[in-house]
Amino acid sequence: MSAQNSQTQAWQALSRDHHLAPFSDVKQLAEKGPRIITQAKGVYLWDSEGNKILDAMAGLWCVAVGYGRDELAEVASRQMKQLPYYNLFFQTAHPPALELAKAIADLAPAGMNHVFFTGSGSEGNDTVLRMVRHYWALKGQPDKKVIIGRINGYHGSTVAGAALGGMSGMHQQGGVIPDIVHIPQPYWFGEGGDMTEADFGVWAAEQLERKILEVGENNVAAFIAEPIQGAGGVIIAPDTYWPKVKQILAKYDILFVADEVICGFGRTGQWFGTDYYDLEPDLMTIAKGLTSGYIPMGGVIVRDEVARVVSEGGDFNHGFTYSGHPVAAAVALENLRILRDEQIITQVQDKTAPYLQQRLRELADHPLVGEVRGLGMLGAIELVKDKASRTRYPGKGVGMICRQHCFDNGLIMRAVGDTMIIAPPLVISLAEIDELVAKTRKCLDLTYEAVR
């Protein structure tokens, strides 16, 4: 960005000289300088140049209750004064973690009453990898090590998380470990070809069974998937997909891991994406909306049978310094109280999500838009050259052009290739949805003028 004031320039110099940013071209960022965000309230951010920005990505999918909730700051302060830190090692525990485990179990699907806490979703999926392999070893089946993921799925950026995910760019940079394989994603718009959505959904689901038979059921430990692929481009599977996947999972003796890091805590209009699709996972990875991003925290919700086997197997030699951190647990408890007592998820389901989806679909008439899809507080806009053939503009990087126009016009919308995606805070109002859609249309117009 072009900095105007000296304070912005000073911060950008610190970035250039000392900071290595995540998922960034460091050289390019040093030349351009990052946007410096200095404050936030509700669904809005302000940068160091005084620009007001509508955050249609809720930070990184996480600020469910919006920015600036004093209750969360106050509960963090109280907990810091009482017990700022202690670990869960050495046969000890503390009330915030125990009370949070119970609160999460009360929200989770029936039969999932145990929680292993981590510091993030990535750490949660590292935990999944070790727990499912340990589970099968305890059951006398140590060869069941292979975990099946999906191409373009996202499960974090630790080594295990990157390997479980199916993003080639991460695999090329040290994100591969043995005994993890991938099947095609259920992305009809991008990969469905001439198939109908219904037929493609069945085909994509059948790839799971094909892979199980290829690897051998006696070697497969688990299948891991996001109910809706988030970072992969808000990929919402055809209606035929999950029912067929459930049928396949019922046939084979493998575990199912639902990565709920993005979908969990209300984003679909249900507490979990698992609830929306009536899935029956054995483990669920959680993070992000658990604390609305106010403080780092993640975890794995574990089905009772898995927890029983693990607990009867002696030491589970796994954990983190900050597992169940008392301040994070206290903030998570208060965040869940806000979501429940203010009926935020009910409002999403009944009012704001239907309105958001209605307004987003009005953008389908734009000459640059090939498809608009969405569910709950998630949305995707496919940018194309030709609507009928779903053909992209070759070599233009249309998504990044659109993203820059969004930045320049007070809107944060993410680009995944040439797919623009949104996941606003769950507390966004109808008027703010109108503003989001109006700004999106303006940025689409500017992008179309730039590329056509």
Side-chain angles (χ1 to χ4, degrees):
M1 63 177 288
S2 176
Q4 301 298 317
N5 69 58
S6 58
Q7 181 61 76
T8 300
Q9 293 170 358
W11 280 323
Q12 289 178 338
L14 292 179
S15 174
R16 181 185 65 245
D17 295 341
H18 303 291
H19 184 225
L20 294 173
F23 284 93
S24 297
D25 181 325
V26 176
K27 182 175 183 293
Q28 181 189 66
L29 185 61
E31 293 171 351
K32 183 180 181 181
R35 181 185 299 272
I36 309 297
I37 302 300
T38 56
Q39 59 181 328
K41 185 72 173 177
V43 302
Y44 295 101
L45 308 168
W46 283 264
D47 68 18
S48 56
E49 298 290 297
N51 298 304
K52 182 181 180 182
I53 309 157
L54 196 162
D55 182 7
M57 281 305 303
L60 271 177
W61 319 83
C62 50
V63 189
V65 300
Y67 296 100
R69 294 297 301 242
D70 291 341
E71 305 97 310
L72 298 182
E74 289 162 2
V75 78
S77 176
R78 288 197 301 270
Q79 186 60 49
M80 284 185 177
K81 293 172 182 176
Q82 180 175 352
L83 179 68
Y85 170 73
Y86 200 69
N87 65 77
L88 300 180
F89 292 46
F90 316 130
Q91 300 184 358
T92 61
H94 47 70
L98 300 178
E99 292 171 11
L100 178 60
K102 174 61 164 62
I104 292 171
D106 288 345
L107 296 173
M112 301 190 78
N113 291 296
H114 299 80
V115 183
F116 188 102
F117 287 114
T118 68
S120 67
S122 295
E123 287 183 2
N125 284 322
D126 279 40
T127 301
V128 162
L129 176 70
R130 295 196 59 201
M131 187 177 288
V132 298
R133 289 178 175 174
H134 181 52
Y135 166 83
W136 287 115
L138 290 171
K139 287 175 69 71
Q141 299 180 71
D143 291 337
K144 287 177 78 72
K145 295 179 179 179
V146 175
I147 300 178
I148 301 172
R150 298 191 297 193
I151 294 169
N152 205 36
Y154 186 81
H155 301 297
S157 64
T158 54
V159 174
L164 290 168
M167 296 192 165
S168 59
M170 299 176 75
H171 292 171
Q172 292 163 8
Q173 297 178 348
V176 177
I177 58 178
D179 295 322
I180 296 174
V181 298
H182 299 87
I183 60 173
Q185 61 182 334
Y187 181 23
W188 174 80
F189 185 86
E191 300 175 3
D194 294 330
M195 279 189 274
T196 65
E197 285 193 62
D199 287 346
F200 179 74
V202 172
W203 176 87
E206 288 174 342
Q207 303 315 298
L208 173 59
E209 184 166 35
R210 180 173 297 181
K211 185 61 71 174
I212 293 169
L213 295 175
E214 174 190 320
V215 174
E217 180 184 359
N218 292 335
N219 298 316
V220 178
F223 171 55
I224 184 169
E226 305 155 86
I228 296 170
Q229 286 170 241
V234 183
I235 307 301
I236 300 171
D239 292 342
T240 52
Y241 180 79
W242 282 115
K244 184 66 176 177
V245 167
K246 286 180 64 178
Q247 290 177 14
I248 293 166
L249 290 171
K251 290 174 61 175
Y252 298 99
D253 190 20
I254 67 174
L255 300 176
F256 173 44
V257 183
D259 186 331
E260 291 272 4
V261 170
I262 285 173
C263 292
F265 304 103
R267 189 145 295 279
T268 65
Q270 301 284 336
W271 276 101
F272 298 101
T274 289
D275 299 325
Y276 183 88
Y277 287 109
D278 190 28
L279 305 178
E280 298 176 354
D282 297 290
L283 301 98
M284 292 167 56
T285 318
I286 55 173
K288 295 191 185 292
L290 173 60
T291 64
S292 280
Y294 275 59
I295 197 164
M297 192 176 213
V300 182
I301 310 175
V302 183
R303 187 162 294 282
D304 296 349
E305 172 59 16
V306 177
R308 181 190 66 78
V309 171
V310 171
S311 66
E312 291 176 356
D315 284 1
F316 179 41
N317 297 312
H318 180 79
F320 304 97
T321 300
Y322 303 115
S323 291
H325 192 288
V327 179
V331 170
L333 279 165
E334 180 65 6
N335 180 66
L336 296 182
R337 184 200 66 76
I338 291 170
L339 287 170
R340 182 186 64 248
D341 290 358
E342 296 185 8
Q343 299 186 314
I344 290 172
I345 297 172
T346 300
Q347 291 177 42
V348 167
Q349 181 183 38
D350 296 343
K351 185 178 180 182
T352 51
Y355 187 70
L356 173 67
Q357 298 304 329
Q358 172 198 327
R359 291 300 325 273
L360 281 179
R361 280 161 177 75
E362 294 172 11
L363 299 170
D365 66 359
H366 195 279
L368 189 59
V369 175
E371 179 183 67
V372 179
R373 61 178 176 271
L375 192 159
M377 282 292 158
L378 291 161
I381 303 167
E382 297 281 4
L383 308 183
V384 298
K385 182 177 182 180
D386 181 78
K387 291 172 179 275
S389 65
R390 310 199 292 272
T391 304
R392 308 285 189 179
Y393 281 90
K396 287 186 177 289
V398 178
M400 296 302 287
I401 294 170
C402 186
R403 188 184 74 164
Q404 187 59 52
H405 284 303
C406 291
F407 282 166
D408 293 341
N409 287 276
L411 176 65
I412 290 180
M413 189 160 55
R414 185 170 174 178
V416 177
D418 287 346
T419 306
M420 306 306 297
I421 60 175
I422 62 164
L426 304 188
V427 294
I428 191 170
S429 69
L430 299 186
E432 289 161 348
I433 290 171
D434 288 340
E435 179 186 348
L436 189 163
V437 174
K439 287 184 172 180
T440 300
R441 185 174 288 278
K442 177 180 180 180
C443 294
L444 290 171
D445 288 343
L446 292 168
T447 304
Y448 185 57
E449 288 300 318
V451 301
R452 67 173 179 168

